[in-house]
Amino acid sequence: MRTRTPATILAATAAFAVVLSGCTTPASDAGGGAQRNVTLTVAEWTNPGAVEFTKKLNAQFEKEHPGVKVRLQTAPTANAAWQQLWNSMLQSKSVDVLAQFAPTQQGFAPDYTDLEPGGAAALIASGQLTDLKDQPFMKNYDPAVQAAAVGHKNGVYGVMAAEYVGAGALWYKKDLLAKYHLSVPTTFQEFLDACETLKRAGVTPIFVSAKDGMHGGVWQGVANQMLMKGHRPAESVQVSEDRATAFWKGTQSWTDPVYQEISRRHQKVMQYIEPGAAGVSQQTAPGVWAAKTDDYPFLLDGSWDGLTVQQANPKLNIGFFTLPGTDEAADNRVAFKPDLTWVVPTSAPHKDLAMEWLALFSKPENYQQWLASTGSISTQPALKNTSLPWMDWLNTHMDDAFPQLTNPWVPAGAPLDAAGPDLYKLAPVGGDSIDTVLSRSASAYRKSVGD
């Protein structure tokens, strides 16, 4: 659904507020009946599949609501453009349905930490988003999943419409693996063995954008699987909270043996990436990988880029799986991340129409099209994304999947590596050792929480 970059999101600019202040024609939609000269504004970040679907849904909504015009506003997530757009639209009170990244429960640290929520969590805590829990269309979604993604104090402040796999996510070229008599690995050692076989055959195993931090998916994927060993999928939120509490109280640290082992495994995988990974942009990586049919069997990238890969090379026979981070196949489960969430600001000019738009979006026949367009994992329990061939592995492995673990709580403005090791600096992408990187993170974390 989005272009992932590690850059810090910037504050909104006043210029956007000026430009967008006239985007919506003021009109009341209370009282029912046909609307005249009403503009419903929907905003989401740039993603080809999602934007095309939204345009079609908007056309359907306009047909069903004579006199209503739906205006779609988009911006890329790169260089904080999306942050600037939605901030300015909220300031000008000109948006009715707004996409946000699901804050999850990590966004709401316990009161004893004195940490203030940020991003979408801050909008919820400050009363700027409408509680949707009792809206009829919410019955199509799993209430527990929605509450974990965008719930707060018995309210549910959005419709989490998309989930993706990013931690350890790997695309692969089926024909290229078959050429070297390889199958999808189920353990960490099997994956390393496959990479070694490919390397000896003169093939570079992994393509990745290390310029934009996508190699961090290896570390995250291994961490999720190792830390969730022995736990049921439903316990992932509690595992995250227990870890965050332990970090805050000083009983866990980034220098602990488990993080040293995760880092060692990360480095082993990094031996098989293309030499120029540090200069590869995440925006161009899927297309470059897809075009090169005789090299790079694996692409380290999220499941959100399926449409981009297919458009770059429609004839490419692709598959998708997650990196097996442990040596026990049963422990190598899928970790997914809540993503695009539709919210309705309390300042929405046409709140009733916004609810009707979400109801139309949530109809199973429409949501099924959304899944096909975006490659999302379904958040409606009655539906699965069966229209995309590469979803077969995910559909098979979703029964024991879990929401990916969140990082320990850190105050706003804390150094980047307080929340985890800086993988740009870890060898072989950077020049620092595991001990140096983890010690730096541990020190940054303790300083950020006031110790």
Side-chain angles (χ1 to χ4, degrees):
M1 294 303 301
R2 56 175 170 164
T3 299
R4 268 57 172 181
T5 68
T8 302
I9 296 177
L10 303 177
T13 60
F16 269 100
V18 172
V19 170
L20 294 168
S21 61
C23 284
T24 303
T25 301
S28 172
D29 49 63
Q35 303 297 311
R36 292 293 180 267
N37 300 320
V38 172
T39 299
L40 182 76
T41 301
V42 178
E44 66 183 325
W45 53 83
T46 305
N47 173 276
V51 170
E52 286 306 308
F53 169 85
T54 304
K55 289 178 179 178
K56 293 178 181 178
L57 190 75
N58 290 347
Q60 181 181 351
F61 190 85
E62 290 175 350
K63 185 176 180 179
E64 295 179 6
H65 296 75
V68 176
K69 173 69 176 177
V70 184
R71 183 193 303 273
L72 178 61
Q73 298 282 347
T74 65
T77 54
N79 302 316
W82 169 246
Q83 174 82 3
Q84 293 169 11
L85 176 59
W86 71 255
N87 245 326
S88 62
M89 296 186 83
L90 286 178
Q91 290 172 10
S92 61
K93 300 181 180 180
S94 62
V95 63
D96 298 290
V97 182
L98 174 66
Q100 286 283 286
F101 294 116
T104 73
Q105 295 310 296
Q106 184 195 27
F108 305 100
D111 292 340
Y112 67 78
T113 66
D114 292 326
L115 296 181
E116 296 293 330
L123 298 178
I124 294 171
S126 60
Q128 296 185 63
L129 300 184
T130 305
D131 184 0
L132 305 181
K133 181 179 62 176
D134 296 327
Q135 290 293 324
F137 55 78
M138 293 300 290
K139 294 178 182 178
N140 292 345
Y141 302 91
D142 185 322
V145 171
Q146 294 293 324
V150 70
H152 184 57
K153 294 183 177 179
N154 297 317
V156 178
Y157 294 88
V159 180
M160 194 264 287
E163 295 174 332
Y164 294 95
V165 180
L170 285 164
W171 295 91
Y172 71 99
K173 297 167 181 169
K174 291 184 177 181
D175 295 341
L176 202 50
L177 257 62
K179 178 180 178 180
Y180 296 101
H181 310 289
L182 297 171
S183 57
V184 174
T186 62
T187 68
F188 185 70
Q189 189 57 53
E190 285 180 7
F191 181 74
L192 293 183
D193 291 344
C195 288
E196 186 62 27
T197 296
L198 293 164
K199 186 176 180 178
R200 289 177 178 174
V203 175
T204 304
I206 305 171
F207 196 77
V208 61
S209 167
K211 178 180 180 180
D212 291 326
M214 294 305 294
H215 60 300
V218 171
W219 201 97
Q220 293 171 347
V222 174
N224 272 277
Q225 292 167 0
M226 292 188 69
L227 296 174
M228 277 293 290
K229 287 178 66 173
H231 294 282
R232 293 178 293 107
E235 296 178 288
S236 66
V237 173
Q238 190 62 51
V239 170
S240 290
E241 185 174 337
D242 289 346
R243 178 171 71 144
T245 301
F247 264 77
W248 190 269
K249 294 181 177 180
T251 57
Q252 281 191 34
S253 169
W254 291 119
T255 55
D256 287 355
V258 65
Y259 299 112
Q260 295 176 7
E261 178 59 24
I262 292 166
S263 300
R264 281 192 288 269
R265 294 189 175 218
H266 172 87
Q267 283 190 322
K268 288 179 180 179
V269 174
M270 288 297 98
Q271 297 174 27
Y272 297 106
I273 67 172
E274 86 279 6
V280 176
S281 164
Q282 197 273 332
Q283 263 189 322
T284 62
V288 173
W289 177 79
K292 187 70 172 175
T293 58
D294 60 349
D295 203 1
Y296 309 128
F298 302 117
L299 170 67
L300 189 60
D301 190 25
S303 64
W304 55 83
D305 265 334
L307 184 64
T308 304
V309 170
Q310 290 176 310
Q311 288 178 337
N313 187 352
K315 295 182 179 180
L316 188 64
N317 188 13
I318 57 173
F320 181 90
F321 71 107
T322 58
L323 173 73
T326 80
D327 298 317
E328 295 291 335
D331 294 327
N332 296 322
R333 296 173 288 175
V334 176
F336 60 86
K337 187 179 188 304
D339 203 274
L340 187 145
T341 301
W342 295 114
V343 303
V344 177
T346 53
S347 61
H350 311 297
K351 191 175 294 185
D352 289 347
L353 284 174
M355 298 306 173
E356 292 182 34
W357 190 94
L358 288 173
L360 184 65
F361 174 91
S362 300
K363 285 185 175 181
E365 60 269 28
N366 289 330
Y367 187 70
Q368 191 75 67
Q369 294 179 39
W370 164 265
L371 296 178
S373 297
T374 62
S376 168
I377 298 167
S378 177
T379 64
Q380 292 192 6
L383 301 179
K384 280 193 175 182
N385 196 341
T386 57
S387 61
L388 301 174
W390 61 262
M391 288 287 292
D392 56 350
W393 187 94
L394 274 179
N395 286 332
T396 301
H397 289 81
M398 285 305 295
D399 287 344
D400 60 351
F402 59 89
Q404 73 176 43
L405 303 181
T406 56
N407 286 331
W409 308 303
V410 293
L416 182 65
D417 52 3
D422 186 344
L423 299 174
Y424 285 112
K425 296 179 181 177
L426 179 63
V429 174
D432 290 346
S433 68
I434 290 173
D435 287 344
T436 297
V437 168
L438 294 181
S439 294
R440 186 186 296 122
S441 284
S443 176
Y445 179 84
R446 294 318 313 169
K447 287 180 181 178
S448 72
V449 299
D451 289 3

